Amino acid sequence: QVQLVESGGGLVQPGESLRLSCAASGSLFSINYMGWYRQTPGKQRELVAQLTSGGSTNYADSVKGRFTISRDNAKNTVYLQMNSLKPEDTAVYYCNADIFRTAYYRTREWGQGTQVTVSS
């Protein structure tokens, strides 16, 4: 099976930066879409940023201008560069991908999540 593994989370102070990585491992044909979501206790999981195979991007208003999503096709990896972090960015961040396992078998996968904590 294909697995998504997030990394790069941690504890930082307000104003600092982090880069999250999400690597797709296993047998796959291509990746159509990858995105980042985040969730805090008692709240719904929300979309943070998304990137399509065509290169279009979308960001939540709360992170626009501070976060950047990018992709390395050779590594089957998507990144989320997070600058000027704020305490309200604290959450578990999840990677999501729309993957063609073969030319005909398409699935949607979630990573296990990585904790980002922004605190002074």
Side-chain angles (χ1 to χ4, degrees), residues 37-91:
Y37 294 72
R38 66 185 181 187
Q39 187 171 23
T40 57
K43 298 181 180 180
Q44 294 184 341
R45 189 171 299 183
E46 65 172 344
L47 175 67
V48 177
Q50 58 185 17
L51 175 64
T52 70
S53 60
S56 63
T57 59
N58 293 104
Y59 297 93
D61 289 340
S62 59
V63 307
K64 195 172 300 182
R66 299 188 296 118
F67 291 11
T68 302
I69 187 171
S70 61
R71 178 177 172 181
D72 187 332
N73 291 329
K75 297 180 179 180
N76 289 326
T77 300
V78 66
Y79 304 96
L80 184 67
Q81 179 66 44
M82 304 185 294
N83 298 327
S84 302
L85 283 163
K86 304 175 181 179
E88 49 263 47
D89 294 319
T90 296

